[in-house]
Amino acid sequence: MSSGCSLDVWPPVTPSELRRLARESLARDLAWIVDETVVLCQDLKHGIEDCYALLAPIDPGSTLVMSTHRNEKVKGTITRVGTRIVKGTLHLQLRTMPAHSITVAQPIHIAALDSIHTYLTQAIDLLGLTISSSRPPEPPSLASTLALLTECLSESITLLQGVPPSSSNTTTNNPKNSSNSSSSSSRNSPAPPSSSSPSPAAAAVSNKSSDTTWTTASCPAHHFSPAAPNISVHIALQESSIVVHLRALESADAPVNFGLKLGLAIGTVRRLEHDEMDTVFRYNPDGDGSCEPKLQQQQQQKQRQQQQLSGKKERLDQVYVREKVKVESADPSLIALHAKLAYLSHMLGQARHNLAAVMDVKLDDADS
C-alpha cells in the first residue's frame, strides 16, 4: 500500500467543472476583499477628515515666532488661521537697508496649504462616493479610486515637505579678496571690515538658486503696512514648517557707487555672500495671485490671458538680490498633519496591494 498523498480531487470533477469552481472561488475572494476595502475606506475617511480639521480656519489659529538667531536680523511673530496668514509683524534689521518693521495688513494665502486643502477635499469626496454606494463597487473601479486617493495623499505630503533647502549659506557675510570683482557683485552693501578671515569652504557659494519661484510668487506690497517695494517676501512650506524668505532687492539699472566698488576690489570692505548675489532676476512685484483669495486669483488669471491675447507684456523688473534672509518656524498643526497623512498613506498602500493581489494585478513601484 502506497504511503504517498494523492492530489486528485475527490469526488472527481471534469476540467470544465474545475474551472467553474475556480471562478466561483475567485469571485468570493474578490467580494470579500472589496467588502474589507470598503470598511477600510470608512477609516480612511475619518482619518482624512481629522487632517482636514487641522487646516480648518478656526480662531485663534497658530501663532508662530519668526526670528533669526539671537534676533539679529529678523524678529517677530505671525498668526496662521487655516491656509492664511491673518496677522503678524516682523522687525527687520538688514545690513543693506535701514531698520524698519512690516505688518500684515491683508490676509496672505499660502499656496501650498491651499493646494493641500483642495487635495483633502477631493479625497473626502471620493471616499464619500465609495462608501455611500448602495452596491459594492466593482474591483477595477475600486482600484482606480484607491489610485486617485494615493495621488492626493502623496501630493499633499510632497507639498508639506516643500523644496529641499539649498546647500549654500544665504546669510553668511564673507570678505571678498579678489581684485576682479564683477560690478553686479559690488551692489551688495558693505559691512565693517573684519579682522578674522573665513575658511575657503565658507566663501564658496553657488551662483544659481535652487528655487526661483519667489520671482513670481512673492507677496505683493499691498499685503503689508507700510508697503515695502524693495523687499521680496516669499512664504512657503518646508519640512512642515512655515518658511519666510526675505530678499532686499535693487534695480539692475541702478548706478554702482565707485567708492564701494573700489573698496570691494582692494579688500577694505566686505560684501554679503549668498547664492543669488551675481544673478539678474526678472521679478514680478505684483505676484502671480497665489497669495490672494481664489476669486481674485481667477480674476488675475483672466487679466493675464487677456494681456497675452492683446500682445501686452507682463510687468517684470530686472533686479539684483542684495541680501537674503531665511526665517522658519515649525508649526505643530502641520507636523501633526504630516504624521497623519504618512500613516494614512501607508494604510492605503497596504489596501491597494491586497486588492491587487486578489485581482492578480501588479502595481508599479511608483504607484504603490
Side-chain angles (χ1 to χ4, degrees):
M1 183 175 179
S2 175
S3 60
C5 296
S6 175
L7 299 179
D8 295 336
V9 177
W10 185 264
V13 294
T14 62
S16 59
E17 182 71 10
L18 185 61
R19 288 192 294 269
R20 183 184 66 81
L21 293 174
R23 288 194 299 269
E24 291 178 355
S25 176
L26 179 59
R28 288 193 297 269
D29 290 342
L30 282 174
W32 172 80
I33 194 64
V34 166
D35 291 340
E36 291 294 319
T37 305
V38 170
V39 173
L40 183 136
C41 285
Q42 295 177 355
D43 296 335
L44 280 174
K45 185 172 182 290
H46 293 318
I48 295 178
E49 286 174 346
D50 292 340
C51 296
Y52 191 87
L54 291 173
L55 290 180
I58 301 175
D59 290 329
S62 301
T63 299
L64 308 175
V65 176
M66 306 297 294
S67 299
T68 55
H69 182 59
R70 296 180 180 176
N71 302 326
E72 292 178 348
K73 296 178 179 294
V74 181
K75 178 182 179 182
T77 60
I78 61 173
T79 300
R80 179 188 64 81
V81 176
T83 62
R84 305 176 302 161
I85 303 296
V86 296
K87 62 181 178 180
T89 300
L90 297 178
H91 305 282
L92 309 180
Q93 293 183 345
L94 305 181
R95 292 178 178 268
T96 56
M97 58 178 52
H100 64 287
S101 300
I102 57 175
T103 302
V104 176
Q106 297 182 16
I108 301 171
H109 283 254
I110 303 177
L113 291 182
D114 281 337
S115 298
I116 293 173
H117 187 273
T118 301
Y119 283 126
L120 295 182
T121 302
Q122 293 175 354
I124 292 175
D125 292 341
L126 281 172
L127 289 170
L129 291 174
T130 303
I131 296 171
S132 62
S133 178
S134 58
R135 297 177 56 185
E138 294 295 328
S141 176
L142 183 58
S144 299
T145 300
L146 296 183
L148 291 175
L149 289 173
T150 300
E151 183 178 354
C152 290
L153 296 187
S154 62
E155 290 292 336
S156 299
I157 293 174
T158 301
L159 288 169
L160 280 173
Q161 292 174 345
V163 178
S166 175
S167 59
S168 57
N169 193 347
T170 61
T171 59
T172 302
N173 303 325
N174 295 323
K176 186 72 174 180
N177 297 324
S178 174
S179 60
N180 56 352
S181 301
S182 63
S183 61
S184 62
S185 302
S186 64
R187 295 180 183 275
N188 296 279
S189 295
S194 175
S195 58
S196 60
S197 59
S199 62
V205 294
S206 172
N207 289 331
K208 293 184 179 180
S209 174
S210 59
D211 183 20
T212 58
T213 55
W214 67 271
T215 57
T216 57
S218 293
C219 301
H222 67 263
H223 281 280
F224 303 99
S225 176
N230 295 327
I231 295 181
S232 164
V233 181
H234 182 237
I235 302 176
L237 300 182
Q238 185 176 301
E239 300 298 335
S240 304
S241 299
I242 303 292
V243 180
V244 178
H245 287 279
L246 300 169
R247 291 174 173 86
L249 306 179
E250 182 183 30
S251 174
D253 300 329
V256 181
N257 183 279
F258 177 76
L260 172 60
K261 185 177 180 180
L262 179 62
L264 289 170
I266 63 178
T268 57
V269 294
R270 63 180 182 178
R271 61 176 182 171
L272 303 180
E273 299 276 358
H274 55 82
D275 59 346
E276 298 173 348
M277 56 183 297
D278 292 333
T279 307
V280 178
F281 292 96
R282 301 179 66 187
Y283 173 66
N284 183 0
D286 297 328
D288 58 0
S290 59
C291 298
E292 314 295 343
K294 288 186 177 180
L295 180 60
Q296 193 168 345
Q297 289 182 23
Q298 295 174 356
Q299 293 176 352
Q300 290 187 3
Q301 186 176 3
K302 290 181 180 179
Q303 291 177 358
R304 286 194 296 268
Q305 292 176 352
Q306 292 176 356
Q307 289 178 356
Q308 292 176 356
L309 293 175
S310 61
K312 294 182 180 180
K313 294 184 178 180
E314 194 174 15
R315 177 190 172 189
L316 294 174
D317 297 340
Q318 304 283 338
V319 298
Y320 285 110
V321 179
R322 300 176 64 193
E323 188 175 359
K324 177 181 175 183
V325 179
K326 173 184 174 183
V327 191
E328 60 182 313
S329 181
D331 190 321
S333 296
L334 298 185
I335 294 174
L337 175 61
H338 185 275
K340 287 179 178 291
L341 287 176
Y343 171 73
L344 294 174
S345 180
H346 178 70
M347 182 191 303
L348 181 58
Q350 287 184 328
R352 291 190 65 198
H353 278 289
N354 294 339
L355 181 60
V358 178
M359 293 176 61
D360 196 18
V361 176
K362 185 177 180 181
L363 290 179
D364 295 334
D365 293 338
D367 297 333
S368 58

